[in-house]
Amino acid sequence: MFTVTSLRRGAIALLSSALALTAVAHHSTAEFDYTKQQTLQGTVKEVQWTNPHSFIQLLVPKAGGEPVEWAVEIGSPSINIAMGWKKNSVKPGEKVTLLISPARNGSPLGTLRKLTFEDGRELVGVAGRVRPTPPAAPAQGK
Amino acid sequence: MRRIAWCLAAVLSLQLAGCGSKSADQHVARTPDDLLGIWVPDAAPRELTVNGSPPPLTEDAAATYAQHKARFVEGDFGYDPTSWCAGPGLPRILTMPYPFEIRRSGDHLAFIHGWYRWFRTVDLNGPEPQPPLPTTLGFPVGRFEGDTLVIRTVGLTDTTVLDAAGLPHSDQLVITERLRVLPDGRLEDRMTFEDPDTFTAPWETVLTFHRDPAARVTDDVCIDRLAKGEPAEDLSRVSPPPATTAKPASPPAPVAQPRLTGMWEAKTFGIFVPEAEAKFNPNGKALFDRNAAAMKSGHIMQTAWTSCRPGAVSTMTMSREAIMVLETADEITILYEMPRMVRRIHMNAEHPKDLQPSYVGHSVGRWEGDVLVVDTIGYNGFAELGAGGQPTSAQMHTVERFTPAADGSYDIEVTITDPAYYTEPVVLKRGWKKKDARHPLEYDCMENPREEDYKSSYFVHEQYRPVCMRVAGKGMELSKMVCKPWTGE
């Protein structure tokens, strides 16, 4: 039987066994520094619910200037669904807090560890599941 | 028509002899097998119509369609994912002037499209699907009513458009197709669209296709055509039907005992291939070290895989997700969900002498008892064995040995020989196990190429540079897809 339940179960089995690899399925994640964590508070401008990775574009207020637009990577739609997300879980205009690991090159880019809504609800990002504690020294390509 | 009338009269009088035979210029469908083979669209309609009139759109949908049409006239096709080589969806892919092939093996029927490796597998014996997420080609379930194939498709993503002019739809869309071979030998696909969010009533349109003995469904890589300055959809390919329809080739003979037909998935998957690294010659080591240095400096490494043009060797080293296999006596067809690819194993055949190098190469196969041996040459040198960027050349030769295991799975030994970069053959152990699903999902690799990613990318080959990318909007302006050769500026 092809059901949501059986597929979810399969997807979750996949998560538990191989999510670390799934997370880097499309490209290596060497661009992110998993030893660092950063909190962003802002307003969702755009959600790109797409392969190979989905993104939240977040406008973060900057004192005395224009807001800075951050791009925060989340998983592919199939991985996100297996982790409890829906296509419309996050909507443009919502105020959210994102815990991320930032890009090494200092650009406003990161990979999501955890998203918190204004009412306290949370969604976990792939990086939050795969790398719950920052490793001491990231291995090459991982 | 006269022949049908005659046959109908014969049926009524129980004189059936002769009704099933075909003359050279008139092929009346008598079995579902008549749908099989390669079909070429009669036209590439830019707008789908109901007998020449527009579909019955809701007010909102009509406004969206009008906006898209205005952009279409201006040559701005940014509303159509096809324009940047992402999935066209159904029925858009059938309105493109590219041939497709219908193959069947048991309960599985597949449309193998000649545009960028897309395929659609139709479940001929399954329950009503419950899509976990919508996809561009949806979750088709089919059944034969006499010689007509009826396909019902649900689970279609609203990110595609139904025609080139940008006819919108919601993810509530249900498409019912009735496919049959017409008395003149052409294929008719009569499609009904039901989507209360978009249309005020169900509506129907008809697409037709013809046979052309010269037509081939080849390994099309859309982004390589874009890089050469060609359009994503080449309308110069439109070939109207000839005055007399070509005689259909005999359908491929079924296999007596299918061994691989059905859905599989990799037993384990990985993206690193350390086995190769121990076998590098100095040239291979130098390229690998260059790649490693780029990654250590924080770059995204763009390989054939990540730049959406994987070679067949990637299915051997990094295969994953669903793998659908169809078998006929002459061919084992392997449809990979991720990386999306169609491989054709020519059974009991020889490699031709004048091979054109390609990403997928040329594969021949044979059964040695219970073991399937697949030998592939004719690669183009644009493939990496793993996420470390282990290089390959056009000299590469691969041999896959599929050995059945006691639990019904297959162990696969892959031997990769490439003297350009390796001192001796690289041997990998992989495997397939049965997958408990009726439909593969989709991996639409080109759905969202982002400029931001390319800004911090390292390209293993210059050929992997993008043409189309999503550019972030300034201020409150939304992002948009822009197609221009990437210079890194």
Side-chain angles (χ1 to χ4, degrees):
Chain A
M1 275 294 281
F2 178 74
T3 63
V4 175
T5 316
S6 65
L7 194 125
R8 283 229 174 110
R9 201 180 299 130
I12 288 164
L14 180 89
L15 281 172
S16 58
S17 64
L19 184 55
L21 290 170
T22 304
V24 292
H26 179 71
H27 57 70
S28 83
T29 53
E31 64 184 311
F32 301 117
D33 185 347
Y34 290 93
T35 64
K36 290 185 182 156
Q37 298 197 13
Q38 187 172 346
T39 300
L40 305 173
Q41 279 189 313
T43 305
V44 176
K45 175 184 168 187
E46 198 175 324
V47 178
Q48 295 166 17
W49 181 259
T50 54
N51 283 296
H53 302 278
S54 301
F55 278 84
I56 293 173
Q57 299 292 123
L58 190 75
L59 289 173
V60 179
K62 186 179 167 187
E66 293 292 308
V68 176
E69 182 169 343
W70 279 76
V72 178
E73 181 182 279
I74 47 179
S76 67
S78 56
I79 290 296
N80 295 339
I81 281 178
M83 291 182 57
W85 293 62
K86 287 179 184 158
K87 182 177 179 178
N88 60 357
S89 286
V90 185
K91 301 177 192 68
E94 281 188 301
K95 291 193 179 349
V96 293
T97 302
L98 306 184
L99 179 65
I100 65 159
S101 281
R104 290 177 193 277
N105 65 8
S107 59
L109 173 70
T111 184
L112 183 69
R113 290 180 166 276
K114 190 176 72 176
L115 178 150
T116 310
F117 293 99
E118 274 191 304
D119 63 7
R121 284 177 302 125
E122 291 182 349
L123 286 169
V124 175
V126 177
R129 185 76 67 89
V130 178
R131 298 171 187 270
T133 53
Q140 168 206 312
K142 280 196 164 184
Chain B
M1 286 305 289
R2 217 183 284 159
R3 183 175 182 81
I4 291 179
W6 183 86
C7 282
L8 188 61
V11 169
L12 291 174
S13 63
L14 301 178
Q15 293 172 20
L16 290 162
C19 285
S21 64
K22 299 170 188 170
S23 61
D25 58 353
Q26 197 169 36
H27 319 289
V28 180
R30 284 289 171 260
T31 75
D33 281 355
D34 288 356
L35 297 172
L36 302 179
I38 296 175
W39 295 98
V40 180
D42 287 350
R46 302 292 85 185
E47 293 179 43
L48 296 179
T49 62
V50 189
N51 296 322
S53 300
L57 289 155
T58 63
E59 204 172 313
D60 285 354
T64 303
Y65 196 24
Q67 285 169 11
H68 289 169
K69 278 186 173 176
R71 294 173 67 181
F72 177 79
V73 170
E74 296 292 318
D76 168 11
F77 308 125
Y79 55 82
D80 180 2
T82 310
S83 64
W84 68 86
C85 297
L90 187 74
R92 177 76 177 91
I93 199 163
L94 294 171
T95 68
M96 303 172 82
Y98 292 77
F100 61 87
E101 180 175 7
I102 304 179
R103 296 186 71 85
R104 182 185 178 183
S105 179
D107 289 340
H108 302 285
L109 183 139
F111 289 72
I112 302 169
H113 293 282
W115 192 85
Y116 203 6
R117 302 177 165 183
W118 282 96
F119 57 84
R120 171 166 72 128
T121 61
V122 181
D123 179 6
L124 295 178
N125 189 28
E128 174 77 12
Q130 292 181 284
L133 76 173
T135 59
T136 69
L137 294 173
F139 297 75
V141 170
R143 67 176 191 280
F144 279 98
E145 292 181 358
D147 54 20
T148 299
L149 172 61
V150 182
I151 306 173
R152 184 172 183 274
T153 302
V154 299
L156 291 154
T157 175
D158 61 3
T159 54
T160 62
V161 285
L162 300 182
D163 65 23
L167 182 61
H169 67 95
S170 82
D171 58 12
Q172 299 305 300
L173 175 66
V174 178
I175 300 179
T176 305
E177 299 169 80
R178 298 181 65 83
L179 290 119
R180 65 182 182 120
V181 177
L182 298 170
D184 67 4
R186 289 182 305 149
L187 175 69
E188 177 190 82
D189 189 349
R190 188 169 285 272
M191 318 181 92
T192 304
F193 298 81
E194 295 169 88
D195 179 2
D197 289 356
T198 311
F199 306 113
T200 56
W203 57 283
E204 185 181 271
T205 200
V206 177
L207 299 173
T208 54
F209 311 87
H210 61 274
R211 292 198 187 268
D212 175 355
R216 295 286 178 273
V217 176
T218 54
D219 183 49
D220 176 55
V221 177
C222 179
I223 49 177
D224 281 347
R225 289 189 285 104
L226 279 188
K228 283 191 272 184
E230 297 169 10
E233 181 185 13
D234 181 4
L235 291 174
S236 71
R237 297 174 58 118
V238 175
S239 62
T244 54
T245 306
K247 186 179 178 182
S250 302
V255 285
Q257 216 176 3
R259 297 191 238 196
L260 289 168
T261 292
M263 191 94 84
W264 302 83
E265 64 186 321
K267 281 188 191 177
T268 57
F269 67 81
I271 58 171
F272 301 99
V273 187
E275 298 92 333
E277 290 156 32
K279 308 279 174 66
F280 280 137
N281 69 17
N283 291 338
K285 181 80 167 60
L287 285 178
F288 181 74
D289 287 349
R290 193 181 75 184
N291 296 340
M295 280 207 291
K296 272 184 186 156
S297 67
H299 287 87
I300 299 174
M301 186 162 68
Q302 298 287 354
T303 60
W305 206 118
T306 65
S307 70
C308 306
R309 44 169 73 76
V313 74
S314 294
T315 68
M316 303 171 204
T317 59
M318 298 186 278
S319 82
R320 40 177 303 181
E321 318 300 344
I323 301 160
M324 176 70 88
V325 181
L326 288 87
E327 290 169 280
T328 54
D330 63 332
E331 180 178 309
I332 294 178
T333 315
I334 313 180
L335 308 170
Y336 294 88
E337 177 186 325
M338 185 191 220
R340 189 182 70 246
M341 194 182 307
V342 177
R343 289 184 66 200
R344 295 164 180 275
I345 316 302
H346 305 282
M347 296 304 290
N348 308 310
E350 301 281 329
H351 293 300
K353 289 204 163 48
D354 54 345
L355 270 180
Q356 285 292 318
S358 67
Y359 291 102
V360 292
H362 183 270
S363 298
V364 296
R366 64 183 186 278
W367 287 99
E368 293 180 355
D370 286 341
V371 179
L372 173 67
V373 182
V374 179
D375 184 294
T376 307
I377 60 171
Y379 291 107
N380 64 4
F382 293 107
E384 292 70 36
L385 298 184
Q390 300 87 343
T392 69
S393 79
Q395 297 178 48
M396 181 166 62
H397 173 202
T398 58
V399 178
E400 298 150 276
R401 294 180 63 85
F402 292 71
T403 305
D407 62 359
S409 67
Y410 273 84
D411 293 318
I412 307 171
E413 183 186 82
V414 183
T415 304
I416 302 164
T417 309
D418 187 349
Y421 297 118
Y422 303 91
T423 55
E424 55 184 294
V426 176
V427 180
L428 309 174
K429 303 287 185 190
R430 297 288 189 266
W432 286 359
K433 60 185 178 187
K434 275 286 185 187
K435 185 173 175 71
D436 179 24
R438 302 293 303 178
H439 300 265
L441 298 178
E442 283 177 2
Y443 180 62
D444 190 358
C445 183
M446 276 301 290
E447 188 176 6
N448 193 11
R450 289 166 48 92
E451 185 189 37
E452 276 166 302
D453 286 352
Y454 297 127
K455 276 182 175 167
S456 54
S457 282
Y458 159 75
F459 298 89
V460 170
H461 283 290
E462 288 300 302
Q463 285 87 332
Y464 299 161
R465 290 180 179 275
V467 172
C468 297
M469 65 205 86
R470 183 178 293 283
V471 176
K474 290 187 171 62
M476 291 311 293
E477 191 187 323
L478 295 180
S479 64
K480 63 177 179 184
M481 202 62 71
V482 173
C483 293
K484 61 175 184 191
W486 169 252
T487 60
E489 300 303 318

Short mmCIF file of all heavy atoms in Angstrom, two decimals, chain B residues 356-387:
data_model
loop_
_atom_site.label_atom_id
_atom_site.label_comp_id
_atom_site.label_asym_id
_atom_site.label_seq_id
_atom_site.Cartn_x
_atom_site.Cartn_y
_atom_site.Cartn_z
N GLN B 356 28.82 7.85 -29.93
CA GLN B 356 28.91 9.27 -29.56
C GLN B 356 29.06 9.33 -28.04
O GLN B 356 28.21 8.80 -27.32
CB GLN B 356 27.63 10.00 -29.97
CG GLN B 356 27.50 10.25 -31.47
CD GLN B 356 28.52 11.26 -31.96
OE1 GLN B 356 28.78 12.25 -31.30
NE2 GLN B 356 29.14 10.96 -33.09
N PRO B 357 30.10 9.97 -27.53
CA PRO B 357 30.26 10.03 -26.07
C PRO B 357 29.06 10.71 -25.41
O PRO B 357 28.49 11.65 -25.96
CB PRO B 357 31.52 10.88 -25.88
CG PRO B 357 32.23 10.83 -27.19
CD PRO B 357 31.18 10.66 -28.24
N SER B 358 28.65 10.21 -24.25
CA SER B 358 27.48 10.77 -23.56
C SER B 358 27.63 10.59 -22.06
O SER B 358 28.50 9.86 -21.59
CB SER B 358 26.20 10.08 -24.04
OG SER B 358 26.19 8.73 -23.62
N TYR B 359 26.77 11.28 -21.32
CA TYR B 359 26.77 11.14 -19.86
C TYR B 359 26.39 9.70 -19.45
O TYR B 359 26.89 9.19 -18.47
CB TYR B 359 25.76 12.09 -19.23
CG TYR B 359 26.12 13.55 -19.32
CD1 TYR B 359 25.51 14.39 -20.26
CD2 TYR B 359 27.05 14.11 -18.46
CE1 TYR B 359 25.82 15.73 -20.33
CE2 TYR B 359 27.37 15.45 -18.52
CZ TYR B 359 26.75 16.27 -19.46
OH TYR B 359 27.06 17.59 -19.53
N VAL B 360 25.45 9.10 -20.20
CA VAL B 360 24.96 7.78 -19.80
C VAL B 360 25.76 6.64 -20.42
O VAL B 360 25.67 5.50 -19.99
CB VAL B 360 23.46 7.59 -20.14
CG1 VAL B 360 22.63 8.51 -19.27
CG2 VAL B 360 23.19 7.83 -21.61
N GLY B 361 26.57 6.96 -21.47
CA GLY B 361 27.33 5.91 -22.12
C GLY B 361 26.43 4.94 -22.85
O GLY B 361 25.24 5.21 -23.07
N HIS B 362 27.01 3.81 -23.25
CA HIS B 362 26.24 2.78 -23.94
C HIS B 362 26.37 1.49 -23.15
O HIS B 362 27.49 1.05 -22.86
CB HIS B 362 26.75 2.58 -25.37
CG HIS B 362 25.95 1.58 -26.15
ND1 HIS B 362 26.25 0.25 -26.17
CD2 HIS B 362 24.82 1.74 -26.91
CE1 HIS B 362 25.35 -0.38 -26.93
NE2 HIS B 362 24.47 0.51 -27.39
N SER B 363 25.24 0.92 -22.75
CA SER B 363 25.24 -0.26 -21.88
C SER B 363 24.72 -1.49 -22.60
O SER B 363 23.68 -1.42 -23.25
CB SER B 363 24.35 0.00 -20.65
OG SER B 363 24.85 1.08 -19.89
N VAL B 364 25.45 -2.58 -22.47
CA VAL B 364 24.95 -3.87 -22.94
C VAL B 364 24.88 -4.81 -21.73
O VAL B 364 25.66 -4.67 -20.78
CB VAL B 364 25.84 -4.48 -24.05
CG1 VAL B 364 25.82 -3.60 -25.29
CG2 VAL B 364 27.27 -4.69 -23.57
N GLY B 365 23.91 -5.73 -21.77
CA GLY B 365 23.74 -6.62 -20.63
C GLY B 365 23.51 -8.05 -21.05
O GLY B 365 23.13 -8.34 -22.20
N ARG B 366 23.81 -8.94 -20.15
CA ARG B 366 23.51 -10.37 -20.37
C ARG B 366 23.33 -11.05 -19.01
O ARG B 366 23.88 -10.60 -18.00
CB ARG B 366 24.64 -11.05 -21.16
CG ARG B 366 25.96 -11.07 -20.41
CD ARG B 366 27.09 -11.68 -21.22
NE ARG B 366 28.28 -11.80 -20.39
CZ ARG B 366 29.14 -10.80 -20.16
NH1 ARG B 366 28.96 -9.62 -20.73
NH2 ARG B 366 30.20 -10.99 -19.38
N TRP B 367 22.48 -12.07 -19.02
CA TRP B 367 22.33 -12.87 -17.81
C TRP B 367 23.32 -14.02 -17.85
O TRP B 367 23.37 -14.76 -18.84
CB TRP B 367 20.90 -13.42 -17.70
CG TRP B 367 19.88 -12.38 -17.35
CD1 TRP B 367 19.05 -11.73 -18.21
CD2 TRP B 367 19.57 -11.88 -16.03
NE1 TRP B 367 18.25 -10.83 -17.53
CE2 TRP B 367 18.54 -10.91 -16.18
CE3 TRP B 367 20.06 -12.12 -14.75
CZ2 TRP B 367 18.00 -10.21 -15.11
CZ3 TRP B 367 19.52 -11.43 -13.68
CH2 TRP B 367 18.51 -10.48 -13.86
N GLU B 368 24.12 -14.13 -16.82
CA GLU B 368 25.01 -15.30 -16.67
C GLU B 368 24.41 -16.12 -15.54
O GLU B 368 24.68 -15.86 -14.36
CB GLU B 368 26.44 -14.86 -16.33
CG GLU B 368 27.11 -14.11 -17.47
CD GLU B 368 28.54 -13.67 -17.15
OE1 GLU B 368 28.97 -13.86 -15.99
OE2 GLU B 368 29.20 -13.12 -18.05
N GLY B 369 23.51 -17.04 -15.91
CA GLY B 369 22.74 -17.74 -14.87
C GLY B 369 21.83 -16.73 -14.19
O GLY B 369 21.05 -16.04 -14.85
N ASP B 370 21.98 -16.58 -12.88
CA ASP B 370 21.15 -15.64 -12.12
C ASP B 370 21.78 -14.24 -12.04
O ASP B 370 21.22 -13.37 -11.39
CB ASP B 370 20.97 -16.15 -10.68
CG ASP B 370 20.02 -17.32 -10.63
OD1 ASP B 370 19.25 -17.49 -11.59
OD2 ASP B 370 20.06 -18.07 -9.64
N VAL B 371 22.94 -14.10 -12.61
CA VAL B 371 23.68 -12.84 -12.45
C VAL B 371 23.55 -11.98 -13.70
O VAL B 371 23.82 -12.44 -14.82
CB VAL B 371 25.18 -13.13 -12.16
CG1 VAL B 371 25.96 -11.83 -12.02
CG2 VAL B 371 25.31 -14.00 -10.91
N LEU B 372 23.11 -10.74 -13.50
CA LEU B 372 23.04 -9.79 -14.61
C LEU B 372 24.36 -9.02 -14.68
O LEU B 372 24.81 -8.44 -13.69
CB LEU B 372 21.89 -8.80 -14.40
CG LEU B 372 21.82 -7.65 -15.42
CD1 LEU B 372 21.47 -8.17 -16.82
CD2 LEU B 372 20.80 -6.60 -14.98
N VAL B 373 24.96 -9.05 -15.86
CA VAL B 373 26.23 -8.34 -16.07
C VAL B 373 25.98 -7.20 -17.05
O VAL B 373 25.48 -7.43 -18.15
CB VAL B 373 27.32 -9.28 -16.61
CG1 VAL B 373 28.64 -8.53 -16.77
CG2 VAL B 373 27.49 -10.48 -15.69
N VAL B 374 26.28 -5.97 -16.62
CA VAL B 374 26.06 -4.79 -17.47
C VAL B 374 27.40 -4.13 -17.73
O VAL B 374 28.13 -3.78 -16.80
CB VAL B 374 25.10 -3.78 -16.78
CG1 VAL B 374 24.91 -2.54 -17.66
CG2 VAL B 374 23.76 -4.43 -16.46
N ASP B 375 27.70 -3.97 -19.01
CA ASP B 375 28.99 -3.42 -19.43
C ASP B 375 28.73 -2.08 -20.12
O ASP B 375 27.93 -2.01 -21.04
CB ASP B 375 29.65 -4.41 -20.39
CG ASP B 375 31.05 -3.98 -20.81
OD1 ASP B 375 31.19 -2.94 -21.50
OD2 ASP B 375 32.00 -4.70 -20.46
N THR B 376 29.39 -1.01 -19.64
CA THR B 376 29.11 0.32 -20.19
C THR B 376 30.40 1.02 -20.59
O THR B 376 31.35 1.10 -19.81
CB THR B 376 28.34 1.18 -19.16
OG1 THR B 376 27.19 0.46 -18.72
CG2 THR B 376 27.90 2.50 -19.77
N ILE B 377 30.39 1.55 -21.82
CA ILE B 377 31.48 2.40 -22.32
C ILE B 377 30.83 3.62 -22.99
O ILE B 377 29.62 3.79 -22.92
CB ILE B 377 32.40 1.65 -23.32
CG1 ILE B 377 31.59 1.17 -24.53
CG2 ILE B 377 33.11 0.49 -22.64
CD1 ILE B 377 32.43 0.62 -25.66
N GLY B 378 31.64 4.44 -23.61
CA GLY B 378 31.08 5.58 -24.35
C GLY B 378 30.74 6.76 -23.47
O GLY B 378 29.86 7.56 -23.80
N TYR B 379 31.42 6.87 -22.35
CA TYR B 379 31.19 8.02 -21.46
C TYR B 379 31.83 9.27 -22.04
O TYR B 379 32.73 9.19 -22.88
CB TYR B 379 31.79 7.72 -20.08
CG TYR B 379 31.06 6.66 -19.30
CD1 TYR B 379 31.60 5.39 -19.13
CD2 TYR B 379 29.83 6.93 -18.71
CE1 TYR B 379 30.94 4.41 -18.39
CE2 TYR B 379 29.16 5.96 -17.97
CZ TYR B 379 29.72 4.71 -17.81
OH TYR B 379 29.08 3.75 -17.08
N ASN B 380 31.43 10.43 -21.50
CA ASN B 380 31.95 11.69 -22.03
C ASN B 380 32.98 12.36 -21.12
O ASN B 380 33.47 13.44 -21.44
CB ASN B 380 30.80 12.67 -22.34
CG ASN B 380 30.04 13.09 -21.09
OD1 ASN B 380 30.39 12.71 -19.98
ND2 ASN B 380 28.99 13.87 -21.28
N GLY B 381 33.30 11.74 -19.99
CA GLY B 381 34.33 12.31 -19.12
C GLY B 381 33.82 13.39 -18.19
O GLY B 381 34.61 13.98 -17.45
N PHE B 382 32.53 13.68 -18.25
CA PHE B 382 31.96 14.70 -17.35
C PHE B 382 31.14 14.01 -16.27
O PHE B 382 29.91 13.95 -16.33
CB PHE B 382 31.16 15.74 -18.12
CG PHE B 382 32.01 16.57 -19.02
CD1 PHE B 382 31.99 16.41 -20.39
CD2 PHE B 382 32.89 17.49 -18.47
CE1 PHE B 382 32.82 17.16 -21.21
CE2 PHE B 382 33.73 18.25 -19.28
CZ PHE B 382 33.69 18.08 -20.66
N ALA B 383 31.82 13.43 -15.31
CA ALA B 383 31.17 12.76 -14.18
C ALA B 383 32.22 12.62 -13.09
O ALA B 383 33.41 12.47 -13.39
CB ALA B 383 30.66 11.38 -14.59
N GLU B 384 31.77 12.70 -11.85
CA GLU B 384 32.67 12.47 -10.72
C GLU B 384 32.11 11.27 -9.97
O GLU B 384 30.90 11.08 -9.89
CB GLU B 384 32.72 13.70 -9.80
CG GLU B 384 33.41 14.91 -10.44
CD GLU B 384 32.60 15.54 -11.57
OE1 GLU B 384 31.36 15.56 -11.46
OE2 GLU B 384 33.19 15.99 -12.56
N LEU B 385 33.00 10.47 -9.40
CA LEU B 385 32.54 9.24 -8.76
C LEU B 385 31.80 9.52 -7.45
O LEU B 385 30.94 8.75 -7.05
CB LEU B 385 33.72 8.30 -8.49
CG LEU B 385 34.48 7.82 -9.73
CD1 LEU B 385 35.55 6.82 -9.31
CD2 LEU B 385 33.55 7.19 -10.75
N GLY B 386 32.14 10.61 -6.79
CA GLY B 386 31.50 10.90 -5.51
C GLY B 386 31.58 12.37 -5.20
O GLY B 386 32.06 13.18 -6.01
N ALA B 387 31.12 12.73 -3.99
CA ALA B 387 31.06 14.13 -3.61
C ALA B 387 32.44 14.73 -3.36
O ALA B 387 32.57 15.93 -3.19
CB ALA B 387 30.20 14.29 -2.36
#
